[in-house]
């Protein structure tokens, strides 16, 4: 088992190059099934989750060639339509493969992704949408089988702007008959990236980035090359980690408009920002000021930044209120921060954080991807050494985490534990 070991107390200083977006890459890798041909993808983050997605594609019959951040997927020989249960359990987001497989092959079998450490995460909106598209769903001992003769595109109104359900509908409808209109669609930038990728392949999709998306079915899709957008959550993470340590940073290869709510809150916390076309420079104040945040679907404050902000605010001056409105159980990580001296009280969906300067290192264990990263930030500001266990959660989503933080002056290492 790997561990992260951090000697805290160093200010982060320097430049960091932000990787390609995990949440854009995953549905785009899944979408490579749709052309039954070749997809060349660039700026793909080399992280556990993308590796898992390749593994599933290979199980289905794809040929996947990867070199660092480039991957070539040949989906011309797909001959299986079932996502293996063990791989499905390992990565919840593999559910978006269902839309791509059924869209292309009119048949897909997968299992319930199961709960996870940030909530129950149902897939009812995905399944209801599939049924609207004329897909017949049968459930059998946790397995879900989907079948249809053709995908009948139609109007779908989502009860909640779910990112995954919006993507799954887009994937399933590209090669359908007629037009699908999604209302109350999710508006995240990753959905725009998926639209751009699919259109480059020959799909006819408009409206991504707004709450109405229209997909006009086409008969065939072609080979494609595509550059994945930068990871807005990774960008926000490095900015907050730097702010927490009182340092200065230039985050490169980002789209600043994607992180407007994050930048607004960092300014409110008294950070100085210089926002360029594709970079943001941040200079932290001597001490951060407490701020309040409420997570919301895009363009609101992202839930994936909630734990990162909580960690940062544990060392701010004053009391911050954080309200989590997207996932029902996203505060598990806070008990580990409390063991390090953070003063956090959870009341329902609200976290009350009383800033303190007394954070000290100890042995803790990651609970989920972003909660785990919050622990790394806490360790960076702590006195003395912190050892973090269960770091496979963190490595799911952060490329070269130890190298990037070391370059910024942190004392961090990955160690194989007993
Ligand atoms: C995606 C992101 C994740 C991010 C989340 C919200 C990926 C791979 N993951 O996850 O990092 O935190 O968006 O921005 O892109 N819901 C239902 N029924 C459904 C689907 C969702 O009730 O069928 C609920 C969820 O439980 C949750 C809320 O809707 O409370 C939002 O979920 P959703 O937007 O679907 O998140 P994901 O696509 O799973």
């Amino acid at each position: 088992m790997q561990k992260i070991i951090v000697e805290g107390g160093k200010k982060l200083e320097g430049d960091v190059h932000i990787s390609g977006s995990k949440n854009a890459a995953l549905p785009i890798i899944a979408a490579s099934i749709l052309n039954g041909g070749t997809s060349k993808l660039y700026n793909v983050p080399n992280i556990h989750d993308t590796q898992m997605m390749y593994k599933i594609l290979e199980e289905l019959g794809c040929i996947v060639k990867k070199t660092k951040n480039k991957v070539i997927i040949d989906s011309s020989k797909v001959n299986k339509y079932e996502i293996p249960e063990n791989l499905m359990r390992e990565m919840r987001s593999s559910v978006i493969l269902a839309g791509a497989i059924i869209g292309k092959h009119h048949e897909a079998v997968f299992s319930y992704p199961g709960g996870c450490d940030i909530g129950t995460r149902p897939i009812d909106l995905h399944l209801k949408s599939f049924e609207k598209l004329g897909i017949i769903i049968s459930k059998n001992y946790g397995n879900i089988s989907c079948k249809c003769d053709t995908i009948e595109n139609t109007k779908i109104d989502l009860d909640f702007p779910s990112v995954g359900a919006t993507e799954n509908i887009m994937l399933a409808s590209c090669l359908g008959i007629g037009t699908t209109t999604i209302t109350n669609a999710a508006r995240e930038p990753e959905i725009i990236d998926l639209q751009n990728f699919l259109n480059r392949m020959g799909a006819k999709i408009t409206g991504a980035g707004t709450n109405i998306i229209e997909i006009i079915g086409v008969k065939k899709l072609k080979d494609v090359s595509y550059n994945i957008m930068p990871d807005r959550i990774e960008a926000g993470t490095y900015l907050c980690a730097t702010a927490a340590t009182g340092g200065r940073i230039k985050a490169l290869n980002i789209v600043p408009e994607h992180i407007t709510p994050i930048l607004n809150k960092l300014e409110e916390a008294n950070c100085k920002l210089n926002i360029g076309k594709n970079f943001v420079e941040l200079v932290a104040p001597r001490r951060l000021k407490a701020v309040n945040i409420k997570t919301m679907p895009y363009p609101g404050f992202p839930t994936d930044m909630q734990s990162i902000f909580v960690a940062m605010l544990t060392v701010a001056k004053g009391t911050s209120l954080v309200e989590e409105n997207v996932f029902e159980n996203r505060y598990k990580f806070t008990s580990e921060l409390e063991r390090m001296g953070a003063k956090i009280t959870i009341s329902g969906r609200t976290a009350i954080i009383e800033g303190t300067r007394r954070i000290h290192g100890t042995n803790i264990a990651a609970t989920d991807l972003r909660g785990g990263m919050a622990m790394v930030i806490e360790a960076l500001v702590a006195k003395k050494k912190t050892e973090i266990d269960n770091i496979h959660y963190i490595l799911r989503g952060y490329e070269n985490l130890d190298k990037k933080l070391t370059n910024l002056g942190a004392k961090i290492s990955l160690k194989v534990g007993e």
Side-chain angles (χ1 to χ4, degrees):
M1 268 251 249
Q2 276 188 313
K3 285 181 181 191
I4 288 177
I5 299 169
V6 181
E7 285 281 350
K10 304 266 178 297
K11 288 182 181 180
L12 297 188
E13 282 178 342
D15 293 357
V16 66
H17 189 91
I18 298 304
S19 299
S21 159
K22 168 178 92 70
N23 287 354
L26 295 174
I28 287 176
I29 295 170
S32 69
I33 298 220
L34 285 166
N35 61 0
T38 306
S39 301
K40 276 189 203 156
L41 305 178
Y42 300 90
N43 202 33
V44 189
N46 188 6
I47 48 177
H48 179 262
D49 272 11
T50 50
Q51 298 299 327
M52 290 307 298
M53 210 66 169
Y54 304 147
K55 242 190 194 173
I56 302 177
L57 288 184
E58 284 172 340
E59 289 275 338
L60 302 177
C62 290
I63 299 164
V64 181
K65 286 192 197 140
K66 29 189 170 144
T67 45
K68 218 170 156 228
N69 297 114
K70 176 183 167 190
V71 60
I72 303 175
I73 301 162
D74 173 359
S75 62
S76 61
K77 301 209 167 50
V78 168
N79 56 2
K80 274 199 228 148
Y81 314 118
E82 181 166 351
I83 306 173
E85 193 187 336
N86 57 327
L87 298 178
M88 184 90 197
R89 284 203 170 276
E90 197 149 332
M91 194 179 55
R92 195 202 120 83
S93 38
S94 53
V95 74
I96 40 164
L97 269 161
I101 303 174
I102 186 92
K104 174 73 180 166
H105 298 284
H106 295 172
E107 189 179 341
V109 181
F110 54 101
S111 52
Y112 274 101
C116 79
D117 279 319
I118 62 172
T120 53
R121 301 187 82 171
I123 54 165
D124 55 316
L125 299 174
H126 300 242
L127 299 181
K128 264 207 286 195
S129 308
F130 283 170
E131 278 175 335
K132 284 225 158 133
L133 293 169
I135 298 165
I136 300 184
I137 296 177
S138 48
K139 297 174 193 165
N140 184 6
Y141 301 111
N143 265 340
I144 302 166
S145 301
C146 300
K147 248 190 159 119
C148 63
D149 292 330
T150 51
I151 300 277
E152 307 284 346
N153 284 352
T154 184
K155 290 197 166 80
I156 299 175
D157 181 51
L158 287 174
D159 296 342
F160 182 89
S162 153
V163 174
T166 303
E167 291 168 343
N168 242 337
I169 301 167
M170 291 165 73
L171 294 166
S173 301
C174 277
L175 291 166
I177 294 171
T179 300
T180 288
T181 308
I182 313 172
T183 50
N184 200 23
R187 297 162 60 185
E188 270 68 2
E190 292 76 13
I191 304 222
I192 304 180
D193 218 37
L194 179 62
Q195 168 179 285
N196 292 344
F197 171 77
L198 291 168
N199 284 348
R200 189 75 70 80
M201 238 188 199
K204 282 195 174 161
I205 308 177
T206 51
T210 76
N211 57 5
I212 301 180
I213 299 178
E214 195 174 83
I215 305 121
I216 302 173
V218 297
K219 288 217 167 80
K220 244 185 113 189
L221 294 167
K222 56 179 195 261
D223 291 353
V224 62
S225 292
Y226 194 76
N227 201 32
I228 308 275
M229 65 174 257
D231 196 312
R232 63 193 168 100
I233 305 301
E234 192 199 20
T237 300
Y238 282 101
L239 292 172
C240 289
T242 304
T245 63
R248 51 167 65 219
I249 192 172
K250 186 172 187 181
L252 300 152
N253 180 39
I254 66 176
V255 183
E257 306 88 81
H258 289 171
I259 54 170
T260 301
I262 301 170
L263 297 178
N264 288 344
K265 287 294 165 185
L266 284 167
E267 265 184 333
E268 205 182 312
N270 280 345
C271 294
K272 292 247 171 331
L273 301 180
N274 173 25
I275 303 171
K277 192 162 169 272
N278 59 357
F279 69 85
V280 171
E281 282 175 297
L282 174 146
V283 179
R286 276 170 66 90
R287 184 142 191 224
L288 291 164
K289 183 169 90 71
V291 294
N292 299 337
I293 60 170
K294 291 182 179 184
T295 68
M296 292 285 175
Y298 195 86
F301 188 94
T303 171
D304 287 348
M305 284 299 297
Q306 178 258 100
S307 52
I308 308 295
F309 255 72
V310 167
M312 182 186 90
L313 293 171
T314 61
V315 292
K317 187 166 192 295
T319 302
S320 305
L321 292 183
V322 171
E323 195 178 294
E324 172 56 58
N325 295 308
V326 180
F327 289 105
E328 81 271 22
N329 186 15
R330 215 168 182 177
Y331 287 129
K332 262 195 177 169
F333 68 98
T334 57
S335 51
E336 296 297 276
L337 301 194
E338 283 177 71
R339 292 184 40 177
M340 298 175 72
K343 294 187 178 159
I344 306 172
T345 313
I346 305 296
S347 168
R349 58 173 55 183
T350 304
I352 305 153
I353 304 143
E354 237 184 278
T356 171
R357 285 177 188 272
R358 291 204 201 108
I359 302 292
H360 47 83
T362 184
N363 294 343
I364 51 175
T367 47
D368 63 278
L369 164 57
R370 306 299 169 187
M373 190 60 214
M375 292 173 207
V376 174
I377 294 178
E378 204 70 20
L380 289 169
V381 297
K383 293 201 173 67
K384 306 222 165 118
K385 187 167 87 171
T386 304
E387 291 202 13
I388 309 173
D389 255 323
N390 284 349
I391 62 162
H392 58 277
Y393 285 119
I394 308 173
L395 301 181
R396 275 186 42 214
Y398 288 93
E399 186 177 52
N400 295 332
L401 178 65
D402 54 328
K403 289 198 190 77
K404 287 186 183 186
L405 284 172
T406 301
N407 277 344
L408 291 169
K411 273 196 108 183
I412 180 170
S413 55
L414 287 189
K415 189 179 109 180
V416 180
E418 12 345 301

